[in-house]
Amino acid sequence: WEMESTMASAANIGRRWPRSGGFERMEIAKLSTYHILTDVVTQERVLILEDDRAAELILRIPLERLRFAVDFVEEGYAAIEKLRAHEYSAAILDLIIHRGLNGFGVLNFIEMEQPDLLDRVFLITGMSEQTVMNTAPALVSRLFRKPFSYRRLVAAVEAAVRPPAERQEELAQRRLLVVDDDRMSAELVA
């Protein structure tokens, strides 16, 4: 029911605009369609703990394109609150946070309170591998030392959360809903 009412309201938004503003009306319909698709399809949620706002965009955009819901926090206590409030498919933790609780504290929380998430935790840091090996030896294989390839990290998150067979099945089931009363533009979008 929620999806149907959202689709109906998306169609009504397009009708409110006068015919002379056809381009604007079409853009609103496309935007509404995008939100319908991402709200309905998004299932997995990723938590990112990082105190660098530029890194947020670099990670958030490709993860959202892969239909992950992304929660970004800049401090460890906020990350723990999010972990208690939501079920996460993966977590990306910066080990060195300059204020509040750092990534090691959040990692301790995950080990104690949500151990099944531990195999989908990815660490980012400027620290040496040896330092991480001494504190979290099981996670060294999922350590990304700065500067690192964001593409590799996003690919690793996707691979950990969605096994290859599952990704192929999801791709085969994707459908596009186009809400537009102009048949020609609807065919162009589809």
Side-chain angles (χ1 to χ4, degrees):
W1 179 84
E2 186 176 316
M3 182 177 166
E4 290 175 22
S5 70
T6 307
M7 290 188 317
S9 66
N12 289 333
I13 289 172
R15 289 191 193 122
R16 287 187 204 140
W17 290 86
R19 201 63 162 149
S20 62
F23 179 74
E24 291 175 58
R25 187 170 52 82
M26 185 176 78
E27 290 301 311
I28 289 172
K30 285 181 190 174
L31 179 64
S32 300
T33 302
Y34 172 76
H35 287 298
I36 291 168
L37 289 174
T38 55
D39 290 346
V40 171
V41 176
T42 299
Q43 295 173 359
E44 295 95 357
R45 188 178 213 91
V46 177
L47 176 66
I48 301 173
L49 169 62
E50 169 63 82
D51 57 355
D52 178 8
R53 295 296 261 165
E56 173 189 9
L57 291 175
I58 292 171
L59 289 169
R60 178 186 293 276
I61 292 170
L63 286 168
E64 286 180 345
R65 282 186 182 149
L66 292 170
R67 294 195 169 95
F68 286 101
V70 177
D71 290 336
F72 180 86
V73 293
E74 296 180 72
E75 190 274 322
Y77 292 112
I80 289 175
E81 286 178 28
K82 292 278 190 183
L83 285 162
R84 286 184 172 144
H86 302 286
E87 186 174 322
Y88 286 95
S89 301
I92 300 171
L93 307 177
D94 185 356
L95 293 177
I96 305 300
I97 301 292
H98 297 290
R99 61 176 194 256
L101 187 67
N102 63 24
F104 286 112
V106 176
L107 188 57
N108 276 342
F109 172 82
I110 292 171
E111 287 175 339
M112 302 293 278
E113 302 289 327
Q114 299 180 2
D116 25 332
L117 177 61
L118 205 52
D119 62 339
R120 295 178 316 279
V121 171
F122 299 86
L123 307 176
I124 54 179
T125 188
M127 300 169 65
S128 71
E129 273 187 37
Q130 188 59 43
T131 305
V132 176
M133 181 78 120
N134 293 338
T135 55
L139 297 176
V140 170
S141 65
R142 291 187 303 280
L143 173 68
F144 291 80
R145 290 198 58 236
K146 294 180 181 180
F148 58 86
S149 165
Y150 289 96
R151 287 183 181 147
R152 278 191 38 228
L153 176 55
V154 169
V157 169
E158 183 181 31
V161 173
R162 300 175 181 154
E166 190 178 307
R167 285 195 303 252
Q168 291 301 322
E169 184 178 312
E170 179 188 328
L171 288 173
Q173 293 178 357
R174 284 187 185 170
R175 297 178 190 264
L176 177 64
L177 170 66
V178 179
V179 180
D180 198 326
D181 62 346
D182 181 0
R183 187 172 186 79
M184 189 169 123
S185 63
E187 287 173 4
L188 287 173
V189 172

